[in-house]
Amino acid sequence: MPARDGAFSLTGQPSACGTAREVGTFSHRLPADMVVMNPKHRAITEKIWKLPEGTLNPVMGSHFMKIMRDLEDGTIKWVWVQVNNPWQNATNANHWITAAREMDNFIVVSDAYPSISAKVADLILPAAMIFEKWGAYGNAERRTQHWRQQVTPIGKSMSDTWQTVEFAKRFTLAEVLEGMEDRRQDHASEVVGKAHALGYSSKDTLFDVLFANKEAKAFCLA
C-alpha cells in the first residue's frame, strides 16, 4: 500500500467508499452495501432512518449517465450537483453542456471553483473546501478517516452537508407523500397512516424526520 500524506483517497475518486458505498448514495444502493431492489434491505434502512414502512421507492433511481441523457431529452429538468464536475469529466461533454443550457432546464451546482459545471449552472451555491469543514472519507483499504475543520470558509461558503440539511427544512412530509402519490397512488395512503403512527404530522419537514427525530435529539448536549 503506498504511503499517504494527506486527506485524500487512494482510489483516484473523492471518497468513493466513504460517501457512496458505505452510506448508500449510488442510485441502486442503500447504506452498508444493501440495495434498493431488496425489500428486506429497504425495511432495515427504513427502521434505521425512522421512516414509515414503505417510504423507500423499490424502483432504482437513475445513474449518472441516465440523468445526463434525461436532461438532454427533457425527462429531467432540474439537477443539483455536489462534489462532482460532470460537465467537465463526462465523455464528449459538448452535447451535455448544450443540454444544461436549455432554457427549460435548471442546474444547481455546489462548487468552490468556477468549474465547467459551475459555468453552465443557473445557480451556484458556494461550497466549503475540505479543511474548511468537518468531514470523513473512505480509503482504498476500506478505512474511514475523519478530519477536523482547520480554517473558516471564505465569505458565505458552507459545507455540502449544511446545504442538504437546509434543503430538507423546506419540504414537508405532506409534499413528499404527495410526490409518492404521483408514482404509486395505491401505496401512498398506507405510508401516510404509518407516518402518523410514528408520531409524524403532515406539517413536519424532512429535517424533522431525518435529522431531528427523537433518537437524533438524544445525542444533543443539554
Side-chain angles (χ1 to χ4, degrees), residues 46 50-56 173 191 194-196 198 200 209:
E46 287 167 344
K50 304 297 183 289
L51 298 176
E53 181 184 351
T55 298
L56 294 178
L173 195 58
V191 177
K194 291 173 182 177
H196 291 163
L198 288 174
Y200 299 130
V209 176

Side-chain angles (χ1 to χ4, degrees), residues 55-73:
T55 298
L56 294 178
N57 194 338
V59 179
M60 187 181 78
S62 297
H63 54 72
F64 165 68
M65 289 310 301
K66 187 174 188 306
I67 291 175
M68 298 295 275
R69 292 167 184 149
D70 289 346
L71 190 68
E72 190 170 36
D73 66 22

Side-chain angles (χ1 to χ4, degrees), residues 78 80 162-171 206:
W78 186 91
W80 183 7
W162 182 90
Q163 294 176 15
T164 302
V165 169
E166 287 300 307
F167 186 80
K169 293 178 181 179
R170 269 66 177 178
F171 288 89
L206 288 180

